[in-house]
Amino acid sequence: MNPMINTNAVLAANNLGPVSAEIFLVIASCAILLIDMFQKEGKRTLTYVLSLLTLVGCAAITYADFKAGTTSYTFYNMFVSDPMANLLKLFTYLAVGVTLVYSRQYAGERGMMSGNMGGEFYVLALFTMLGQMIMISGNNMLPIYLGLELMSLSLYALVAMRRDHAISTEASMKYFILGSLASGFMLYGISMIYGATGSLDITTIAKLVSANAANHTILVFGLVFVVAGMAFKLGAVPFHMWVPDVYQGSPTAVTLLLGAAPKLASFAMMIRILVEGLLPLAIDWQQMLLALAVLSLVIGNLTAIAQANLKRMLAYSTIAQLGFVLLGMMAGVVGTRDAANAANIATAYSASMYYTITYVLTTLGSFGVIMLLARSGHEAEELADFKGLAKRSPWYAIVMTVLMFSLAGVPPMMGFMAKWAVLDAVVGSGQLWLAIIAVMASLVGAFYYLRVVKVMWFDEVADASPISTPLDMRVVLSLNGILVVLLGVLPGPLLAACLSAMTLTLKS
C-alpha cells in the first residue's frame, strides 16, 4: 500500500473540521461546569451568560459551514456535516437559547439552581443539545444511537431535578421507564439491520439494500423495531402514553427543553435512517408512517379537546402536530421504489422539515407565555389562569393569540404555510384522501386552540396580580411572536433554505 495514500486516508478520517462545533460545545460545557462550582447560590447569572455565549459560538462555527454549502465526512464516514445538518443545528441553538432565556426566572424561583444543586440545569441543557447535534450529523447507526441516549439521559435528569416534587418525580419515572423501552426497541432493530447487512454505516446499508444483497426478512423485522423506537421517542400514537404525563409533570422549563429542540433531532434521525439508509424499503416504512400519522392526527386532536390543563393540552397538540410531520415524511416516495422521484422527495421532505421548524418556534412561544404568567408557588398552567389576560397585558395576549392561530393553521401565521406545504406534498403524491383527513383533523384541533383565545379576550380576569418578568424574557418572547407572523407573511426564504438544504443533502 502506498504510504502517502494511507496517510491521506487517516488524515481524512480524523478531520476535525466537520465536528468543530461539537468539540467547542464539549469544552465550553466542561468549563462552565467548573466555573459554576465557584458561583454563589441564586440565579447563576454568570453560568447563564456563559451558556448563551456558548450557543453563539456554536452558531458562528455552524453558520460558516452552512454558508459554504458543502458536505464533509469524518471519523470514517461516521459523522457528516451537510446543509441539512447545519440548518437544523442553527435552529437547535436558537431553540435551546430561547428556552434558557425563558427558563431563567422560572427555574430560579423553584430552587432548581440553589440548595444542593448548582448550574446543572444549564449544563444538562447543553449536553442535551450535544446529543441532538450528534443525532443530526450521525451517518452511522452507532453515533445516532449514542446521540439519542446522551440526549435522553440528560432529559431524564432534568425532568427529575425537583426531587421533592411528587408529580415531577412520577413524571421522571414514567419517562425513564418508557424511554428505556424505546431505546431497547431502537437497539434491537439496529442489531437486526446489522445482522441483515453486516454494517452500521448508513451509506453502506443503502448500497447493500439497493443491490438486494441483504436478508430482506431480517431487514424488515429490524425496520419495524426501529420505526417503533422512533415513534416512542417522537410520541406518535400508539406510542404516545408518556407524553401528556411527562409534559404536565415536568417543570415547565424542562417541558420546553423536552418538547422543542429534540423534534429537530428526531426529524434528522428519520431522514438519516429511513431516507438515506433504507429508501429502497420505503414501501414498507411508508405504511407504518401512514398508520402513525393518521392515528396521531385523529387521537391527538380529539383528546386535546377534553384537557383543561394547558401543558397537557399542548402535549396532545404535539402528538397531533407530529402527524403532519409524518405525513410529509411518507409523501416523498410514491408507490414502489421504482416510482421514486428525486424532485418529489426533496419537496416533500423539505416541507416536513419546514413544518418541524415552524412547530418548534411556535411551541417555544406557547410555553414561554405559560412561564411568563407563572410565579413563585403558582404554575399558571390551567386554562382558567389565562382568563382575561387581554385586560392584564394586551401585548402578551396578542402574542399568545398569534401562537395559537399558528398552531391551528390560521393565515397568515407561520403554521398556515407549514400545513399548506405538507398538504401540497401529500396531494402531489396522489393521496388526496389523506390530505382530507389531515384537514378535518386540523379543523377539530382549531377548537381547542381558539378556546384559549376566547378565554384570554372574552372572559373576566381571574387573577389580577401584576406580571413581573426580566427584560430579556419580555424582549425574546415578543420577538418570538413577531417572528411567527413574519415568517408566515414572508415564508419564501426559509422554505427555499429548507428545499436547498434537503436537495443538496440528498444529492451528496
Side-chain angles (χ1 to χ4, degrees):
M1 181 181 292
N2 187 331
M4 183 64 73
I5 295 174
N6 191 34
T7 304
N8 290 338
V10 171
L11 287 174
N14 296 317
N15 174 23
L16 297 182
V19 78
S20 51
E22 283 78 2
I23 292 173
F24 173 76
L25 178 59
V26 169
I27 294 171
S29 300
C30 293
I32 291 170
L33 188 62
L34 287 173
I35 293 169
D36 183 75
M37 291 173 63
F38 301 98
Q39 294 290 298
K40 293 180 180 177
E41 289 190 6
K43 294 186 179 179
R44 305 277 168 177
T45 303
L46 183 59
T47 311
Y48 167 71
V49 172
L50 289 175
S51 300
L52 291 182
L53 288 176
T54 299
L55 296 177
V56 173
C58 289
I61 295 169
T62 304
Y63 182 71
D65 291 340
F66 176 68
K67 201 174 179 183
T70 55
T71 298
S72 52
Y73 296 85
T74 188
F75 301 149
Y76 297 96
N77 291 340
M78 294 178 79
F79 194 93
V80 60
S81 171
D82 56 23
M84 182 193 79
N86 292 323
L87 185 60
L88 287 174
K89 283 180 190 175
L90 287 172
F91 279 99
T92 301
Y93 307 147
L94 178 67
V96 174
V98 169
T99 303
L100 295 185
V101 172
Y102 290 165
S103 306
R104 185 184 174 200
Q105 177 172 287
Y106 179 93
E109 288 178 349
R110 281 149 189 80
M112 294 167 67
M113 299 179 195
S114 58
N116 57 359
M117 288 185 283
E120 285 93 338
F121 176 77
Y122 293 112
V123 177
L124 284 171
L126 292 178
F127 276 113
T128 298
M129 194 180 78
L130 177 63
Q132 292 159 17
M133 292 164 71
I134 295 171
M135 286 171 68
I136 289 171
S137 280
N139 193 45
N140 183 295
M141 296 281 192
L142 188 59
I144 290 175
Y145 181 76
L146 292 176
L148 179 66
E149 285 307 290
L150 176 59
M151 179 187 78
S152 299
L153 289 170
S154 303
L155 286 172
Y156 298 151
L158 281 165
V159 174
M161 278 197 84
R162 296 181 73 187
R163 290 193 293 271
D164 55 347
H165 196 258
I167 298 175
S168 290
T169 308
E170 182 188 346
S172 68
M173 286 298 293
K174 283 182 182 174
Y175 187 36
F176 175 70
I177 292 169
L178 294 175
S180 302
L181 187 65
S183 297
F185 273 124
M186 280 286 293
L187 198 58
Y188 192 57
I190 289 171
S191 68
M192 292 186 85
I193 290 173
Y194 178 75
T197 61
S199 176
L200 291 175
D201 182 71
I202 299 284
T203 310
T204 306
I205 290 171
K207 287 177 181 173
L208 290 170
V209 176
S210 297
N212 286 324
N215 186 314
H216 187 265
T217 304
I218 298 177
L219 202 58
V220 171
F221 269 109
L223 176 66
V224 170
F225 279 100
V226 167
V227 171
M230 286 182 185
F232 254 117
K233 293 293 182 184
L234 283 166
V237 178
F239 305 104
H240 66 293
M241 63 290 287
W242 62 272
V243 179
D245 291 343
V246 174
Y247 270 49
Q248 185 182 1
S250 304
T252 309
V254 178
T255 308
L256 190 47
L257 276 171
L258 184 70
K263 298 296 182 287
L264 297 166
S266 298
F267 170 79
M269 180 173 67
M270 285 196 292
I271 291 289
R272 298 289 181 210
I273 295 179
L274 297 182
V275 179
E276 294 189 341
L278 299 170
L279 189 63
L281 296 177
I283 196 158
D284 296 304
W285 55 256
Q286 264 184 328
Q287 296 171 30
M288 288 184 266
L289 294 193
L290 171 67
L292 294 171
V294 172
L295 287 172
S296 299
L297 281 166
V298 175
I299 294 177
N301 280 313
L302 287 177
T303 318
I305 291 175
Q307 308 305 319
N309 182 286
L310 209 56
K311 283 167 71 177
R312 203 169 179 85
M313 187 200 86
L314 288 172
Y316 283 108
S317 155
T318 298
I319 294 166
Q321 301 283 347
L322 279 170
F324 263 95
V325 176
L326 294 173
L327 282 184
M329 284 296 300
M330 60 154 295
V333 185
V334 183
T336 65
R337 70 190 70 172
D338 298 329
N341 178 283
N344 286 341
I345 287 176
T347 304
Y349 297 149
S350 65
S352 189
M353 184 177 176
Y354 179 77
Y355 197 97
T356 309
I357 292 171
T358 299
Y359 167 76
V360 169
L361 292 178
T362 314
T363 296
L364 286 170
S366 304
F367 282 100
V369 176
I370 293 176
M371 280 191 272
L372 177 89
L373 299 180
R375 57 184 184 278
S376 184
H378 182 67
E379 289 295 332
E381 61 187 46
E382 297 294 330
L383 192 58
D385 293 318
F386 281 71
K387 283 184 175 179
L389 177 62
K391 297 182 179 68
R392 293 173 66 194
S393 173
W395 173 243
Y396 293 113
I398 291 172
V399 170
M400 191 63 170
T401 302
V402 164
L403 297 167
M404 290 296 107
F405 278 179
S406 182
L407 285 170
V410 175
M413 310 309 168
M414 195 181 178
F416 168 75
M417 187 48 67
K419 281 185 167 58
W420 179 272
V422 169
L423 291 174
D424 187 47
V426 173
V427 172
S429 70
Q431 302 175 89
L432 182 62
W433 65 274
L434 201 51
I436 293 172
I437 289 178
V439 171
M440 297 300 290
S442 294
L443 288 175
V444 173
F447 171 79
Y448 57 84
Y449 294 124
L450 296 180
R451 185 174 59 186
V452 178
V453 176
K454 176 256 176 189
V455 165
M456 289 190 300
W457 289 94
F458 298 108
D459 285 10
E460 290 302 317
V461 177
D463 178 6
S465 58
I467 299 172
S468 174
T469 50
L471 178 64
D472 53 353
M473 181 181 182
R474 281 182 278 147
V475 171
V476 173
L477 187 55
S478 301
L479 291 175
N480 197 162
I482 293 169
L483 192 64
V484 169
V485 179
L486 199 62
L487 288 174
V489 177
L490 300 169
L494 183 55
L495 273 169
C498 290
L499 181 60
S500 171
M502 192 56 69
T503 305
L504 291 171
T505 298
L506 294 176
K507 281 182 181 175
S508 62

